[in-house]
Amino acid sequence: MGLNNRYEFVLLFDVKDGNPNGDPDAGNLPRMDAETGMGLVTDVCLKRKVRNFVQMTQTDNANRKIFVREKAILNNMIDESHEQEGVKDKEKGDKTEAAKNWMCKNYYDVRTFGAVMSTGKNAGQVRGPIQMTFSRSIDPVVASEHTITRMAVTTSKEAEAQSGENRTMGRKFTVPYGLYRCHGFISAHLAKQTGFDEDDLELFWQSLMQMFDHDRSASRGEMSARGLYVFKHSNALGHAPATVLLDRVQVQRKEECDIARNFNDYQVEIDDSNLPEGIELIKLLG
Amino acid sequence: MGFCLEVTGDYACFTRPEMKVERVSYDVITPSAARAIFEAVLWKPAIEWHIHKIEVLKPIRWVSIRRNEVGAVLPVGNINKAMKGGALPALYVEDARQQRAGLFLKNVAYRLHGSFSLTKNAGDSDNVGKFVEMFKRRAKKGQCFNQPYLGCREFSCDFRLIEELENENSTIEESRALGWMLYDMDYQQSNNPMPLFFNAVMNNGVIDVPEKQSDEVRG
């Protein structure tokens, strides 16, 4: 059980005419770094997609259940007996530990990302091995606002007000094109604590590469994983600072291209020469 | 034996305990978060890390980010029921959704000065020299138990062992009273950790951190 190797990874993904991650503070505009204009996608946004992918594809797998669920894809599941605990249990010590282990064993997201579970007064918590950061776009992104119309209204009151015209207008935001870069870290030591193993890791890589293919919606536009570069250390502690490795993946807009609208407008350069001893670079995608 | 780590990151959130629902960060890293960075590189029950000085290398800048978060935790009773064959616990995001803004720090860099001492858990085979060498070896090579982070795990940071302070970046030229700031949690009663505070002052980018036992640290 557990992993024997530390890993770091770079995930590249792009969006075309879509909104990769809306900002609730800005009326659902694509998230942006106000100072640099770079697009942002939060860590939790991508983790949600990993969870959804696993939940969707691993239904037959008893120990790959997802704890933090989204209802939208749950319609076909009958499991509604989510009980509320009226009286707080006062079990402590061994029982807490056993419960924690049981959760790790049964739930993929608990052993991957961790979870907070309350145990009476204290919060029993699991720290998962996988840590992801905010994704940033390579170039500044622009958000285009589109006004759209609907040839219907919701209420009859609205219809009366329009004397039967029955039209509403809405807004939607898109990024014409953006290539984003996400960094991730996998701690073998924490994997040992939660029982996250090689098969789980395999599924995690698969989910990073395929999650966008199962997350199509009106707002997302075309999103795709474009590159997944994994640095594998030959032991659990690692052999080199994470930055030194992550910097070996350089992504740049091609010189002849002023405005990027396509993945081909970018050049991904990977320096795999003279890798530090004990480091293996695995190009899973791209 | 003291060590110095330089840590840098795009974002950081050292949450003020009085504003933790919609998180607002302290102006600078807390000694407790700094301790956790040293611990991410090396920690054993035999040692305890102490932070002595924090040097601020970049101007204090802010960014506000709002995210959808989950506002519920799983009662352990539900797990126990499920273990006995009851319904499987699940947490529905839509039911427990909270939108929370966070006021985070942006583009930060610190030099953290810390040292460790042996605890009463140290066995016969534990000695200072062993851990000194282990820490140096790990920090130099970029090895760590888990990638250290600046307050929250999504804000991972880079770290670098500094052995010679000459030729290093200078601190920001700013002096400011930072007010009462979290020092660390006191875990002596393990089921009821108590916060400790100190009055932090930044002099030309340098914050001297008092010792835990000193009068300047209040519970």
Side-chain angles (χ1 to χ4, degrees):
Chain A
M1 288 297 266
L3 297 179
N4 298 317
N5 311 86
R6 174 181 137 183
Y7 297 86
E8 269 92 41
F9 61 88
V10 178
L11 171 71
L12 297 180
F13 61 92
D14 65 355
V15 59
K16 201 173 173 185
D17 295 323
N19 185 354
N21 188 197
D23 185 348
D25 253 348
N28 209 37
L29 265 161
R31 286 185 194 275
M32 239 189 258
D33 178 331
E35 280 170 296
T36 61
M38 303 292 182
L40 291 177
V41 171
T42 58
D43 58 313
V44 284
C45 170
L46 295 186
K47 286 182 186 171
R48 174 81 264 146
K49 294 192 204 311
V50 171
R51 285 188 163 106
N52 288 353
F53 179 83
V54 171
Q55 195 182 342
M56 201 182 288
T57 57
Q58 304 289 315
T59 42
D60 301 335
N61 213 323
N63 62 1
R64 284 185 171 165
K65 288 187 276 286
I66 291 297
F67 173 55
V68 182
R69 299 182 196 174
E70 194 172 19
K71 272 196 170 166
I73 60 167
L74 265 177
N75 293 341
N76 46 357
M77 293 188 71
I78 327 137
D79 185 5
E80 285 295 286
S81 47
H82 177 48
E83 296 178 44
Q84 289 301 316
E85 197 68 8
V87 192
K88 273 184 186 161
D89 282 7
K90 280 184 184 145
E91 289 141 338
K92 280 184 184 166
D94 294 350
K95 280 200 172 169
T96 308
E97 193 60 29
K100 213 191 264 183
N101 292 339
W102 184 85
M103 286 299 287
C104 283
K105 210 176 132 200
N106 283 276
Y107 289 91
Y108 183 81
D109 57 337
V110 174
R111 53 176 193 274
T112 306
F113 301 128
V116 178
M117 292 167 282
S118 96
T119 56
K121 227 177 184 181
N122 274 330
Q125 68 179 45
V126 181
R127 205 152 50 124
I130 297 186
Q131 184 177 343
M132 286 161 87
T133 62
F134 281 17
S135 310
R136 274 175 168 275
S137 64
I138 307 295
D139 285 317
V141 294
V142 286
S144 325
E145 181 178 354
H146 311 275
T147 304
I148 47 177
T149 54
R150 180 170 69 164
M151 297 311 184
V153 288
T154 355
T155 59
S156 45
K157 202 178 159 199
E158 237 177 301
E160 275 161 34
Q162 290 193 23
S163 22
E165 192 86 351
N166 290 6
R167 244 198 269 191
T168 38
M169 294 186 112
R171 296 186 308 165
K172 100 187 241 175
F173 296 101
T174 64
V175 169
Y177 185 79
L179 179 62
Y180 291 74
R181 169 182 185 139
C182 174
H183 289 172
F185 309 88
I186 306 181
S187 159
H189 294 100
L190 295 179
K192 284 203 178 90
Q193 291 177 4
T194 68
F196 181 90
D197 64 16
E198 296 287 343
D199 289 341
D200 289 332
L201 183 65
E202 213 38 61
L203 176 62
F204 180 69
W205 296 140
Q206 193 194 354
S207 63
L208 288 187
M209 292 185 279
Q210 297 182 359
M211 60 191 183
F212 297 112
D213 298 327
H214 299 273
D215 186 59
R216 303 289 178 209
S217 80
S219 61
R220 297 275 175 256
E222 279 175 58
M223 292 187 74
S224 330
R226 291 297 191 169
L228 180 56
Y229 312 101
V230 178
F231 295 95
K232 180 179 183 180
H233 299 251
S234 70
N235 65 3
L237 267 181
H239 293 286
T243 1
V244 174
L245 299 177
L246 297 169
D247 281 350
R248 283 173 171 264
V249 178
Q250 290 291 337
V251 187
Q252 256 162 359
R253 186 156 32 89
K254 288 180 184 162
E255 264 174 34
E256 65 270 22
C257 170
D258 288 334
I259 298 164
R261 283 291 181 264
N262 200 302
F263 184 59
N264 291 331
D265 294 336
Y266 283 94
Q267 193 155 1
V268 181
E269 272 180 43
I270 297 156
D271 178 12
D272 51 6
S273 60
N274 303 318
L275 280 167
E277 210 184 307
I279 306 287
E280 187 191 346
L281 170 60
I282 308 164
K283 296 175 194 167
L284 284 173
L285 179 70
Chain B
M1 171 88 196
F3 297 101
C4 177
L5 284 181
E6 183 185 279
V7 295
T8 52
D10 290 343
Y11 297 100
C13 180
F14 311 107
T15 310
R16 290 173 181 269
E18 69 272 25
M19 283 180 280
K20 62 184 183 185
V21 174
E22 299 229 303
R23 297 181 193 92
V24 176
S25 176
Y26 278 116
D27 297 350
V28 296
I29 189 169
T30 59
S32 123
R35 166 183 61 81
I37 290 174
F38 282 93
E39 285 177 353
V41 179
L42 173 74
W43 180 78
K44 304 266 174 186
I47 65 171
E48 187 183 1
W49 282 100
H50 313 282
I51 303 299
H52 306 299
K53 193 161 77 170
I54 292 164
E55 292 179 283
V56 183
L57 307 179
K58 285 192 180 165
I60 298 167
R61 286 160 75 206
W62 301 89
V63 60
S64 159
I65 292 171
R66 187 180 292 268
R67 291 179 286 184
N68 288 323
E69 299 186 12
V70 162
V73 287
L74 171 69
V76 75
N78 286 11
I79 309 176
N80 292 335
K81 268 190 202 144
M83 288 166 84
K84 290 176 196 136
L88 287 170
L91 208 155
Y92 293 101
V93 193
E94 315 289 336
D95 291 346
R97 169 169 290 174
Q98 293 182 347
Q99 284 194 342
R100 293 185 182 182
L103 193 56
F104 306 142
L105 295 170
K106 220 181 112 168
N107 203 4
V108 301
Y110 303 107
R111 260 196 312 265
L112 311 172
H113 298 260
S115 69
F116 65 82
S117 60
L118 295 181
T119 65
K120 59 179 189 315
N121 293 321
D124 295 339
S125 61
D126 292 323
N127 61 65
V128 173
K130 170 175 131 180
F131 294 122
V132 165
E133 288 310 311
M134 265 173 106
F135 183 82
K136 261 199 201 162
R137 209 162 49 225
R138 287 189 184 184
K140 248 190 213 166
K141 287 173 85 177
Q143 295 183 316
C144 51
F145 185 90
N146 61 278
Q147 191 68 29
Y149 48 87
L150 301 168
C152 301
R153 285 190 81 194
E154 56 270 40
F155 308 134
S156 74
C157 65
D158 308 324
F159 64 96
R160 186 163 70 90
L161 181 69
I162 301 212
E163 293 180 288
E164 294 287 334
L165 272 170
E166 301 159 29
N167 305 325
E168 288 295 334
N169 294 331
S170 52
T171 57
I172 55 169
E173 285 178 21
E174 194 184 328
S175 300
R176 210 198 274 195
L178 301 170
W180 286 91
M181 193 163 120
L182 180 77
Y183 183 86
D184 207 331
M185 301 298 284
D186 182 354
Y187 292 99
Q188 282 183 46
Q189 294 167 273
S190 60
N191 57 352
N192 187 23
M194 297 301 289
L196 300 171
F197 295 90
F198 76 114
N199 198 359
V201 181
M202 176 165 76
N203 281 321
N204 282 316
V206 180
I207 299 151
D208 284 307
V209 180
E211 285 195 32
K212 199 172 187 174
Q213 284 76 19
S214 66
D215 290 343
E216 288 149 67
V217 177
R218 313 263 175 88

